Amino acid sequence: MIRVAAVGDIHVGTDSAGRLRPHLERVAGEADVLLLAGDLTRVGEPEEAAVLVEELRGAGVPVVAVLGNHDYHGGCEQVVAGMLEDAGVRVLEGDAVVVETPGGTVGVAGAKGFGGGFLGACGSDFGEPLMKAFVGHTREVADGLEKVLADVEADVRIALLHYAPTETTLQGERLEIYPFLGSYLLGEAVDRAGADVVLHGHAHAGTEKGFTPGGIPVRNVAQPVLRRPYNVYCFNATGEVGCDGEATAARE
Amino acid sequence: MTEVERESPEPDGYLCERVRRALADDPGVGELGLTVSIVGRRVFVSGDVPTPERQQAVSSVVAEVLPGYEVHNDVTVTSLAPGSNTETLP
């Protein structure tokens, strides 16, 4: 059995010290790896990344992350990513990592992603240079994700994004902002490359469970959606009995 | 356009957007997803933020953007249930 803990949109700021760490100290007892789906800081300032690093020190398992739009807001995303990497967090952007766990290997291909909208209601790379740049960027990210994900060899293969690959996990968000929440191009990339699950954040008012047009399970792990410090997704990679599906009670 | 028309108050929708932008840009808040509504001279702000400090900061940001308006800060701090949910995927 392979156990993957995941959460996104934790928005750690300089006012967040000590809020998440007590919860993360339980991860090692429940999961083999922790995946973070972006918007890890409030606005991407190095001071916030410093608090984040301290909070994550309690995890006790390998941590793999992608950044989100908030992490880019301060213009210091490379510094933020560097601080996380220095602390042992693997930050993905168009690349992949394979993590060894007692139950097997977990391959994670990750990218922040970007917007553009979904099937039947999406932007086109047509018109003004800025519009072409907007949609073109998502297309470039999706093409890169497909390539790295297709090459991932592991018992469990996961695509980790910040932006949504499907509108099925956006129910609850206003329809008018769907194009700013994700793109079908991301879902198409995952469907072509294949995966066991896609994890994403970004849509705080969305729903947890969805699927790509190709039928791959999608989970919106934004913390405001989960209303828990993180969720754990289990995979029967070795044929063992999986998780019992019950909420794990807080340990004393 | 007459002088009276030029002095017409700014539509509430634009005022709401000014508040939303201020809440996103303010270093003490930095939130994109808060809902802002105006009824008369009352401003209602709702949504979730991760910390009490950011929740409290909402009031002062709104008051700075719309002085003289009555601020109703209905923003809540995200409450996390203890423990995690587990799910087995095929």
Side-chain angles (χ1 to χ4, degrees):
Chain A
M1 178 175 66
I2 294 174
R3 305 166 302 167
V4 177
V7 68
D9 300 79
I10 55 179
H11 292 271
V12 168
T14 54
D15 56 355
S16 305
R19 289 183 64 81
L20 204 55
R21 182 159 177 164
H23 299 290
L24 294 183
E25 284 171 351
R26 288 201 295 272
V27 171
E30 298 176 39
D32 305 304
V33 62
L34 172 63
L35 303 189
L36 302 176
D39 276 4
L40 310 182
T41 62
R42 195 177 57 90
V43 288
E45 296 288 350
E47 296 78 15
E48 297 171 346
V51 176
L52 171 64
V53 162
E54 285 310 306
E55 297 295 289
L56 292 177
R57 285 199 202 283
V61 295
V63 182
V64 180
V66 294
L67 299 185
N69 56 309
H70 275 248
D71 303 314
Y72 276 65
H73 186 67
C76 304
E77 63 276 8
Q78 299 294 338
V79 173
V80 169
M83 291 172 70
L84 288 168
E85 290 270 353
D86 288 344
V89 175
R90 185 76 167 86
V91 180
L92 302 176
E93 181 50 53
D95 53 349
V97 66
V98 177
V99 178
E100 300 266 355
T101 78
T105 52
V106 180
V108 185
K112 174 175 60 68
F114 201 45
F118 300 93
L119 293 173
C122 54
S124 301
D125 47 358
F126 179 90
E128 304 93 325
L130 277 176
M131 190 63 199
K132 289 180 185 174
F134 183 98
V135 179
H137 176 68
T138 306
R139 190 175 295 281
E140 189 180 322
V141 169
D143 288 346
L145 177 70
E146 180 185 341
K147 286 189 177 66
V148 296
L149 181 57
D151 286 343
V152 168
E153 292 184 6
D155 296 313
V156 174
R157 298 166 66 253
I158 298 176
L160 178 64
L161 298 166
H162 179 63
Y163 283 75
T166 169
E167 67 271 47
T168 59
T169 46
L170 302 184
Q171 294 175 49
E173 295 278 5
R174 283 184 61 172
L175 276 175
E176 298 95 320
I177 67 168
Y178 276 23
F180 304 108
L181 296 176
S183 168
Y184 85 92
L185 293 169
L186 302 171
E188 185 178 48
V190 175
D191 281 336
R192 286 183 173 154
D196 293 294
V197 70
V198 188
L199 305 175
H200 75 87
H202 197 41
H204 293 199
T207 48
E208 184 196 349
K209 298 183 182 181
F211 49 91
T212 66
I216 294 175
V218 177
R219 296 293 179 265
N220 177 355
V221 297
Q223 197 170 68
V225 171
L226 301 184
R227 299 239 164 228
R228 291 184 181 271
Y230 51 86
N231 267 7
V232 177
Y233 302 97
C234 301
F235 301 85
N236 291 329
T238 59
E240 296 174 35
V241 175
C243 301
D244 58 13
E246 297 292 327
T248 303
R251 293 182 175 77
E252 296 296 331
Chain B
M1 186 182 294
T2 67
E3 191 167 324
V4 170
E5 285 167 336
R6 276 197 292 274
E7 288 176 356
S8 295
E10 192 173 355
D12 285 348
Y14 295 145
L15 295 178
C16 287
E17 278 309 308
R18 280 211 270 135
V19 172
R20 280 171 37 83
R21 278 204 309 276
L23 291 170
D25 292 340
D26 185 82
V29 182
E31 288 289 334
L32 288 175
L34 299 177
T35 301
V36 181
S37 306
I38 292 177
V39 180
R41 299 285 291 185
R42 294 178 178 164
V43 185
F44 297 84
V45 185
S46 59
D48 286 348
V49 294
T51 68
E53 291 82 359
R54 285 175 231 182
Q55 182 215 30
Q56 286 152 22
V58 166
S59 297
S60 49
V61 170
V62 177
E64 191 174 330
V65 176
L66 296 178
Y69 278 67
E70 186 180 302
V71 180
H72 292 255
N73 184 349
D74 297 332
V75 172
T76 52
V77 178
T78 305
S79 170
L80 298 179
S84 61
N85 272 331
T86 56
E87 177 188 359
T88 298
L89 287 167

